[in-house]
Amino acid sequence: MLDQRNLPDMLLTLDGERIETADRWLQRRRPEILDLFREHVYGRETVGRPSTLEFDTKVTPNMLGGIAVRKQVDIRYEGAGGTGKIRLLMFLPDNGQEPCPAFLLLNNRGAAHMDPEQQAPSPFWPAEQIVARGYAAVVLDVEDADPDFHDGFRNGVHGIFDPSTGERPANAWGTIAAWAWSASRAMDYLETDPDIDAARVAVVGHSRGGKAALWAGAVDERFALVVSNNSGCTGAALSRGKKGETIRNINDQFPHWFNGTYKTYNDREEHLPVDQHMLLSLIAPRPLYVASATNDEWADPRSEFQSLVHATAAYRLFGCKDLTEMNFPHPEEPLLRERMGYHLRSGEHDLKPYDWDRFMDFADQNI
Ligand code: GTR
């Protein structure tokens, strides 16, 4: 059921046009909402695909007990402030045939969850389970693009592409936007790989990685499916009426994640020209999956679910069913609808094999 929270009307443009068709949405309102998120929340990127981008690939057969081929791809770039590198690790089903769909994980938990051939298998990143279902399992460490601490934007892509010593504009991009940018650079590579069906790539992230996955999916329409796991505040969850983490909490604890302007909304969420259902609406009409966990009160499962339900307004323009009558589901009772999916898992704030299985069930139907 729709719960009313005085949200901005996603179908009303700033100059008062009521959006009633998919065409008007795509021409007018979608670009306007994207711009509002850049200006007020995630910040404006100063670079897209760098002209210096290079890929360096190493292939190893016979991985994951013989079911996969591993590719290690170093994505290199250079800007006025120096050079950088994102390392992609890919495990591809070794069936030597058709290009396959892929899951790209924006890994926010470091080296222990990258390469199952080097570390103990990780329930957070079950590459073998993903490959066994016919998907390429592709992962990058978000901290390759920008380390996750506040150093005044000197390290990572900010230092490489906007090394100016002057004052940073209040709308300059933060770390979440940098991580989303790295997902797009991974996509630049995947488009060149004949083993990958680049029209069927899902971007997935957990928690802070989930915020980045949603922003990546909003900015870069090449992602065919977007999956948010427990992304919470300034991810999937509505900010108005949210329990647990607030805009003030997140800005105080992680001042580098969002732009300077976002700080002006501490304790003033009702003044934001957007709310997070509008972030989800930017994915439409592409498939979108949101997952929550029962004990994750800091993220606030109900606010994540409500955001998805409110995002239906955009999906409806594309002929998708109205989900506003849907009730908040019981744990382990996934809602798999046309282009929109949701589940609530019992347990803690985490990414588990149960979550991955539901993401793949949804992908099987939708990409
Ligand atoms: C928390 C933060 C959340 C979420 C989480 C995580 O401390 O408050 O927004 O991003 O970290 O990434 O695990």
Side-chain angles (χ1 to χ4, degrees):
M1 290 302 264
L2 212 54
D3 113 24
Q4 297 303 337
R5 301 193 185 195
N6 264 327
L7 300 174
D9 184 340
M10 74 161 80
L11 298 181
L12 194 62
T13 65
L14 293 177
D15 62 7
E17 178 185 342
R18 164 108 356 238
I19 299 295
E20 283 165 353
T21 65
D23 279 354
R24 290 306 288 159
W25 171 262
L26 293 172
Q27 284 157 11
R28 277 295 317 277
R29 187 57 170 156
R30 186 182 185 282
E32 186 172 84
I33 294 174
L34 189 58
D35 196 68
L36 288 170
F37 274 105
R38 284 199 165 105
E39 185 63 27
H40 296 269
V41 184
Y42 302 101
R44 296 188 184 280
E45 314 87 324
T46 52
V47 62
R49 178 188 169 124
S51 58
T52 53
L53 205 69
E54 277 177 15
F55 311 121
D56 190 352
T57 309
K58 217 159 72 189
V59 183
T60 321
N62 238 333
M63 293 276 130
L64 302 181
I67 66 161
V69 172
R70 181 176 64 190
K71 291 189 188 178
Q72 176 185 295
V73 182
D74 287 342
I75 302 174
R76 297 177 194 280
Y77 40 89
E78 192 173 344
T83 60
K85 181 183 91 180
I86 300 160
R87 174 164 289 181
L88 274 192
L89 274 183
M90 310 174 50
F91 293 88
L92 297 131
D94 192 8
N95 52 18
Q97 289 157 22
E98 301 282 285
C100 61
F103 276 91
L104 167 65
L105 173 68
L106 309 185
N107 171 27
N108 59 303
R109 288 199 179 165
H113 308 282
M114 291 293 290
D115 189 350
E117 290 289 342
Q118 306 287 320
Q119 291 95 19
S122 155
F124 185 84
W125 175 231
E128 199 169 332
Q129 181 186 338
I130 296 167
V131 170
R133 287 189 59 164
Y135 293 91
V138 185
V139 62
L140 60 81
D141 183 336
V142 291
E143 296 203 55
D144 282 0
D146 195 26
D148 194 3
F149 60 90
H150 194 31
D151 75 335
F153 301 99
R154 280 189 292 274
N155 62 17
V157 290
H158 302 109
I160 295 172
F161 293 109
D162 28 84
S164 124
T165 48
E167 202 175 317
R168 277 187 111 230
N171 62 9
W173 55 332
T175 293
I176 298 288
W179 295 347
W181 179 90
S182 75
S184 289
R185 304 297 65 85
M187 185 52 124
D188 293 341
Y189 167 76
L190 294 173
E191 285 186 324
T192 70
D193 188 326
D195 293 329
I196 296 289
D197 182 349
R200 297 167 69 207
V201 176
V203 61
V204 184
H206 166 68
S207 203
R208 64 198 73 189
K211 304 178 210 297
L214 288 170
W215 185 235
V219 169
D220 192 337
E221 294 177 83
R222 293 175 297 174
F223 290 109
L225 161 62
V226 181
V227 182
S228 149
N229 193 71
N230 304 183
S231 63
C233 183
T234 323
L238 292 172
S239 299
R240 286 167 177 80
K242 186 180 180 306
K243 304 214 167 70
E245 188 171 36
T246 62
I247 293 177
R248 171 178 289 284
N249 295 144
I250 206 165
N251 280 330
D252 285 355
Q253 214 189 335
F254 306 102
H256 54 300
W257 280 2
F258 309 105
N259 70 14
T261 306
Y262 198 48
K263 285 43 175 199
T264 66
Y265 297 103
N266 289 348
D267 306 320
R268 294 176 69 247
E269 25 281 285
E270 70 280 11
H271 293 283
L272 261 171
V274 291
D275 207 318
Q276 299 304 114
H277 63 312
M278 291 159 75
L279 175 68
L280 301 187
S281 80
L282 296 173
I283 315 294
R286 291 165 294 151
L288 165 66
Y289 196 95
V290 174
S292 310
T294 53
N295 299 348
D296 193 8
E297 282 144 21
W298 193 236
D300 189 1
R302 276 179 192 272
S303 290
E304 296 184 315
F305 176 72
Q306 278 298 323
S307 185
L308 185 70
V309 173
H310 279 276
T312 298
Y315 280 84
R316 249 189 346 239
L317 296 172
F318 296 90
C320 298
K321 276 211 197 88
D322 189 344
L323 302 188
T324 46
E325 293 309 312
M326 236 165 34
N327 287 320
F328 188 56
H330 296 291
E332 284 74 60
E333 285 183 12
L335 294 167
L336 301 177
R337 297 292 189 275
E338 189 198 355
R339 301 194 216 179
M340 299 179 100
Y342 178 86
H343 75 248
L344 177 66
R345 170 179 51 72
S346 298
E348 307 305 318
H349 179 73
D350 203 353
L351 175 55
K352 302 271 206 188
Y354 173 86
D355 301 309
W356 280 107
D357 270 328
R358 300 296 78 72
F359 304 160
M360 289 188 279
D361 292 346
F362 185 69
D364 290 350
Q365 301 298 320
N366 283 283
I367 61 170

